[in-house]
Amino acid sequence: MSSIIQYKHHDRFLLAVDCIIFGFDGERLKALFIKRGFEPEIGKWSLMGGFVNRQESVEAAAARVLQQLTGLDNIYMEQIGCFGDVDRDPGGRVISVAYFALINIADYTENMMQEHNAKWFTIDKIPQLVFDHKKMVLLAKERLQQKVANHPIGFELLPEKFTLRQLQNLYEAIYGNELDKRNFTRKILSLDILHKLNEKEKASSRKGSYYFVFDEKRYKKLETEGVKFI
Amino acid sequence: MSSIIQYKHHDRFLLAVDCIIFGFDGERLKALFIKRGFEPEIGKWSLMGGFVNRQESVEAAAARVLQQLTGLDNIYMEQIGCFGDVDRDPGGRVISVAYFALINIADYTENMMQEHNAKWFTIDKIPQLVFDHKKMVLLAKERLQQKVANHPIGFELLPEKFTLRQLQNLYEAIYGNELDKRNFTRKILSLDILHKLNEKEKASSRKGSYYFVFDEKRYKKLETEGVKFI
DNA sequence: CCAAAAGTGTTGCGTATACACCCATGT
DNA sequence: ACATGGGTGTATACGCAACACTTTTGG
């Protein structure tokens, strides 16, 4: 881009980040929204967002916003894209960069929910959202589906130990269709990223189902390389 | 995003778009770069770019830049993402939104090349580029590969009529590996998006190979729906 | 008649899918 | 004993990859 002198002649913009935070409750895929307590669009649901500051990168701004609103560091986060329509925000010309984030739903405390007027919504029952946030969420869901098909990031949404049933529920929730239990088990175990624990989850059945954790090394490898998961 | 009053208190940024323009010469995948005629980084190769204006959307800015630098309208274009590192541009804090574009290489005239000091580079012989443009190009190539695997956008790179060999060369160029002629032919014809013309290309063989064009309707359908191509 | 690229089918293999019964246990 | 969810194997279908020879024609 041009020279320093030319730079001065161009328009400047407010730059925001908006975060689609996904969570999984063991049954359904959820997204976190906050209820706006101020105008414009007071009372409407909205993504979590904030403005980018001069001295931070856009990505750092997204991480900061996530930290502020969830209390969590090192959240898995991926850029969805830039939303730059002229009238996307009736409050002024704001360019927004959207990110999606994956968190373990249990890490988001009741406190945090109250503090920010936040609420989890099942992914196919999303409320009306302000501005172009709905578009962002839909795109985020698509990207999540794409990514999850080849990378083990879905585990970011699970607690440290989980049952195969929960894992299958997660994939079913992300794709919105049912999977065959036997085929799913075979495939996921063949990837060799899971360790079976000697401990059973007993809440949801009499027999109890084994907990699994993932193998850190293999997990990281597949995260960068990618494999066909589904 | 907050209220109008709050908006005022936040930093504003220069916003640029940068375009990775892909072309295909029948043999190899190419990208178009321009030689900077001014500081900083004078004499280095760079993506085509420009600043976003207050009254236009980011996407419109990208289309405008493409129009200005190629003379072409209605170019196939897709957003890659936002690049917002603090020091990505030594000339100042500039946020850039990168797009990739696909054009028929024959549509880019010699005139245009000279006017903008532009040059096509084979995709795996990319010169040193300014700022983070190399990163953009690599990401663009990845996105192109992903997209082309499921959507017929590769045809944007071809002249209206083309031979199966040229089409195969294109896919080979995009993926950087060789394909089996028989398997490729079978697969691509089974998609039922091609019409065989009664006309042969005679330049590259004695026997001559039939030209094909694509079926507009089926093409559009697959573009939106997606199919497994490769 | 020869060189050079075009055009064209078959087979084997591996992966994905469909499908149903027994197991362990708390009540 | 029984109800509930957990855990497991096999048979089939399909898509993908490997593979080679004949055709055409300009020179």
Side-chain angles (χ1 to χ4, degrees):
Chain A
M1 231 44 356
S2 323
S3 78
I4 299 173
I5 292 159
Q6 285 173 282
Y7 285 8
K8 295 198 194 292
H9 298 308
H10 291 96
D11 298 328
R12 290 172 183 269
F13 299 85
L14 289 167
L15 195 61
V17 291
D18 285 300
C19 299
I20 295 93
I21 302 176
F22 287 115
F24 177 65
D25 66 359
E27 287 283 328
R28 317 192 62 90
L29 185 65
K30 310 246 179 184
L32 191 64
F33 302 108
I34 58 174
K35 195 165 204 163
R36 288 171 72 89
F38 39 78
E39 293 294 351
E41 309 270 17
I42 189 170
K44 273 213 192 160
W45 293 97
S46 155
L47 289 172
M48 292 193 167
F51 286 95
V52 178
N53 298 324
R54 187 185 309 280
Q55 75 288 354
E56 70 186 347
S57 71
V58 176
E59 183 163 315
R64 172 178 53 78
V65 165
L66 280 171
Q67 208 287 326
Q68 285 169 354
L69 298 183
T70 66
L72 305 174
D73 285 308
N74 287 113
I75 296 182
Y76 182 93
M77 202 180 80
E78 203 160 313
Q79 190 188 120
I80 294 162
C82 174
F83 291 74
D85 282 354
V86 176
D87 295 319
R88 55 171 295 281
D89 182 337
R93 181 76 200 269
V94 180
I95 309 295
S96 177
V97 182
Y99 286 80
F100 76 78
L102 306 181
I103 72 174
N104 177 349
I105 206 165
D107 291 345
Y108 194 64
T109 62
E110 191 61 39
N111 258 352
M112 280 289 176
M113 302 250 307
Q114 284 175 8
E115 186 176 336
H116 297 103
N117 250 307
K119 191 178 164 203
W120 290 103
F121 287 81
T122 300
I123 197 62
D124 39 39
K125 282 178 193 155
I126 293 170
Q128 263 216 312
L129 297 174
V130 300
F131 312 161
D132 50 3
H133 287 192
K134 183 84 163 225
K135 212 163 81 180
M136 294 179 180
V137 173
L138 293 179
L139 200 53
K141 190 183 165 196
E142 267 177 47
R143 290 287 181 86
L144 176 61
Q145 289 177 341
Q146 273 178 25
K147 186 82 182 193
V148 154
N150 297 296
H151 300 268
I153 62 169
F155 294 103
E156 304 283 343
L157 292 160
L158 290 166
E160 195 177 350
K161 56 188 182 183
F162 48 86
T163 66
L164 288 182
R165 160 63 66 183
Q166 287 167 344
L167 185 55
Q168 182 178 341
N169 283 344
L170 173 58
Y171 277 87
E172 289 179 341
I174 291 176
Y175 286 104
N177 60 19
E178 302 217 330
L179 299 171
D180 182 272
K181 183 170 50 158
R182 288 159 292 187
N183 294 338
F184 178 80
T185 304
R186 185 171 344 112
K187 178 120 106 215
I188 211 76
L189 289 181
S190 77
L191 293 174
D192 203 27
I193 51 176
L194 298 184
H195 284 321
K196 187 192 253 182
L197 300 184
N198 253 335
E199 186 187 354
K200 280 187 170 189
E201 188 269 349
K202 305 279 289 181
S204 61
S205 75
R206 322 216 175 223
K207 184 178 177 181
S209 54
Y210 284 105
Y211 277 121
F212 287 79
V213 294
F214 56 79
D215 175 323
E216 197 83 32
K217 254 198 215 130
R218 291 274 305 166
Y219 178 91
K220 288 290 177 202
K221 194 162 135 74
L222 294 191
E223 186 174 344
T224 51
E225 284 177 12
V227 198
K228 188 162 193 317
F229 268 76
I230 292 293
Chain B
M1 234 36 6
S2 325
S3 79
I4 299 177
I5 293 159
Q6 287 174 280
Y7 285 8
K8 295 199 194 292
H9 298 307
H10 290 97
D11 298 327
R12 291 174 180 268
F13 299 86
L14 289 168
L15 195 62
V17 291
D18 285 299
C19 299
I20 294 94
I21 303 177
F22 287 115
F24 177 65
D25 65 0
E27 287 283 328
R28 316 192 62 89
L29 185 64
K30 310 247 178 185
L32 191 63
F33 302 108
I34 58 174
K35 194 164 202 161
R36 288 170 73 89
F38 39 76
E39 294 294 351
E41 309 270 16
I42 187 171
K44 272 213 194 161
W45 294 97
S46 154
L47 289 171
M48 292 191 167
F51 285 96
V52 178
N53 298 323
R54 188 183 309 280
Q55 76 286 354
E56 70 187 349
S57 71
V58 176
E59 184 164 314
R64 172 177 55 76
V65 165
L66 280 170
Q67 209 287 325
Q68 284 169 355
L69 299 183
T70 66
L72 305 174
D73 285 308
N74 286 114
I75 296 181
Y76 182 93
M77 204 180 77
E78 203 160 312
Q79 190 189 122
I80 295 161
C82 175
F83 292 74
D85 281 356
V86 175
D87 294 320
R88 56 171 294 281
D89 182 338
R93 181 75 201 269
V94 181
I95 308 295
S96 176
V97 183
Y99 286 80
F100 76 79
L102 306 181
I103 72 174
N104 177 348
I105 205 166
D107 291 344
Y108 193 64
T109 63
E110 191 61 39
N111 259 351
M112 280 290 175
M113 301 252 303
Q114 285 175 6
E115 188 176 334
H116 297 103
N117 250 308
K119 192 178 160 199
W120 290 103
F121 287 81
T122 299
I123 197 63
D124 39 40
K125 283 179 193 155
I126 294 170
Q128 264 217 312
L129 297 173
V130 301
F131 312 162
D132 51 2
H133 287 192
K134 183 84 162 228
K135 210 163 85 179
M136 293 178 181
V137 174
L138 293 178
L139 200 53
K141 191 183 163 197
E142 266 178 47
R143 289 287 181 87
L144 177 62
Q145 290 177 341
Q146 273 179 24
K147 187 82 181 194
V148 155
N150 297 297
H151 300 268
I153 62 170
F155 295 104
E156 304 283 343
L157 292 161
L158 291 167
E160 195 178 349
K161 57 189 183 184
F162 48 84
T163 66
L164 288 182
R165 160 63 65 181
Q166 288 167 344
L167 185 56
Q168 184 179 337
N169 283 345
L170 173 59
Y171 277 87
E172 288 179 343
I174 291 175
Y175 285 104
N177 60 18
E178 303 217 331
L179 299 171
D180 181 273
K181 185 169 48 158
R182 289 159 290 188
N183 293 337
F184 179 80
T185 305
R186 184 169 348 107
K187 177 118 106 218
I188 211 78
L189 290 180
S190 77
L191 294 174
D192 204 26
I193 51 175
L194 297 184
H195 284 321
K196 187 193 253 182
L197 300 184
N198 252 336
E199 187 189 352
K200 282 187 168 186
E201 189 268 350
K202 304 279 291 180
S204 61
S205 76
R206 324 218 173 216
K207 186 176 178 181
S209 54
Y210 283 104
Y211 277 121
F212 287 78
V213 294
F214 57 78
D215 176 322
E216 196 84 32
K217 252 196 219 134
R218 289 274 303 168
Y219 178 92
K220 288 290 177 203
K221 195 162 133 71
L222 294 191
E223 187 174 343
T224 48
E225 284 178 10
V227 198
K228 189 162 192 317
F229 268 75
I230 293 292

